[in-house]
Amino acid sequence: MSLAVGLVGLGAIARAQHLPAIAETDGVHLAAIASRNATLPDLPSYPDLRAMLDAEPEIGAVSLCTPPQGRFDQAMAVLRAGRHLMLEKPPGMTLSEVEALRETAAKAGLTIFATWHSREAAAVEAARQWLAAREISAIHIDWREDVRKWHPGQEWIWQPGGLGVFDPGINALSILTRILPRPVRLTTASLSIPQGRQTPIAADLEMCAGETPISAAFDWRETGDELWRITLQTDRGAATLDKGGAEFSTDGEVIATGENREYANLYARMRDLVRAGQSDLDLAPMRLVADAFINARFAITEPFDA
């Protein structure tokens, strides 16, 4: 039986990724949406989550594509209504919120899935397998993009819980924690916060996985091409995981690439989790972001008009 999904939030990410992903995934179909300001033709549309849940009892799972602020109450409403729950990244504002959701879902026998779309990029698995047979000596991450291009006028990202540059940076951390065989630990962080804002526009992190040093530079002020790259040094050569995980090369030769099926893979995974009665709530990327905020040296920079 096909899993009926209710989608909450119809912003840019939902239109660009979630809608086509649901449409191309076997065993999943979009049953309704909840959005304050948008509707879709030939589909039941509701002004809020509660109205959708009350009117659509056949919906088996709800996918939340809303900003992290306020998502906890929405997520709890989904679980209390007996529906499975799929969370866009980051899964919540705080780790304690998400742990409360985990406990509630487990007690109710419901699936909860914290999605990390960048882990589904075409070359991530190839990089993980390549690294498994090698000793890693050093890793560096460069994650740079233009916030005005990707989040024009979106004030929530500059408010508490919005993560700032960690909104894209957590994608790099999700890949990092997927491809490495050892847990990653943050040691130091420097965060640059524009005057009048609450979240960083740039971040420099130092981490380690066992004895392997890891450095990362995240920046939202890049005005040229995006740079989403992880560089890896090992005892048997160097490698680069580039283009947000879409391309993996060793010694300059591309050995893995492919089309973007990140969100389609996520919905297929959600379908399979529900069928198996399982959950997937890996919080390793979010924990590193939380550690960065706890352990950071903060610098106030010039004002930034988004």
Side-chain angles (χ1 to χ4, degrees), residues 58-271:
E58 78 281 5
I59 287 177
V62 173
S63 179
L64 294 183
C65 306
T66 53
Q69 300 97 326
R71 194 187 294 164
F72 177 74
D73 290 340
Q74 293 178 324
M76 274 297 187
V78 170
L79 296 174
R80 287 168 178 161
R83 320 297 174 92
H84 304 292
L85 178 62
M86 183 172 176
L87 298 164
E88 177 59 273
K89 61 87 182 175
M93 279 186 63
T94 67
L95 290 165
S96 56
E97 279 188 354
V98 186
E99 290 295 352
L101 295 175
R102 185 202 302 272
E103 181 180 1
T104 301
K107 288 182 177 179
L110 295 168
T111 292
I112 182 171
F113 181 24
T115 67
W116 303 106
H117 68 85
S118 289
R119 288 182 173 179
E120 302 297 332
V124 169
E125 180 59 19
R128 189 189 69 82
Q129 293 182 15
W130 188 85
L131 288 171
R134 289 162 173 82
E135 292 294 327
I136 310 166
S137 56
I139 300 171
H140 180 68
I141 301 170
D142 272 310
W143 224 256
R144 304 172 187 272
E145 62 183 58
D146 182 358
V147 63
R148 291 189 176 102
K149 173 182 176 181
W150 294 98
H151 295 277
Q154 296 182 17
E155 289 298 317
W156 64 267
I157 57 176
W158 301 107
Q159 298 168 357
L163 295 189
V165 75
F166 284 108
D167 180 74
I170 204 170
N171 295 334
L173 298 176
S174 72
I175 295 173
L176 179 73
T177 52
R178 171 60 182 158
I179 63 176
L180 295 188
R182 295 179 177 178
V184 179
R185 178 174 65 89
L186 183 127
T187 54
T188 64
S190 299
L191 308 185
S192 298
I193 301 177
Q195 184 178 347
R197 301 291 189 175
Q198 302 297 313
T199 58
I201 197 168
D204 292 295
L205 311 181
E206 297 294 333
M207 299 167 282
C208 62
E211 300 300 318
T212 303
I214 305 167
S215 58
F218 303 152
D219 204 314
W220 249 354
R221 299 166 294 193
E222 179 60 57
T223 57
D225 293 337
E226 294 87 9
L227 182 63
W228 301 318
R229 178 176 297 161
I230 302 176
T231 305
L232 307 141
Q233 304 293 333
T234 80
D235 62 336
R236 293 166 56 191
T240 302
L241 188 56
D242 212 348
K243 301 178 182 179
E247 182 179 284
F248 183 60
S249 59
T250 61
D251 298 318
E253 178 183 355
V254 175
I255 62 172
T257 189
E259 63 177 323
N260 182 354
R261 290 188 50 81
E262 294 177 13
Y263 280 84
N265 289 346
L266 291 177
Y267 276 96
R269 173 70 171 153
M270 181 65 181
R271 175 201 64 205

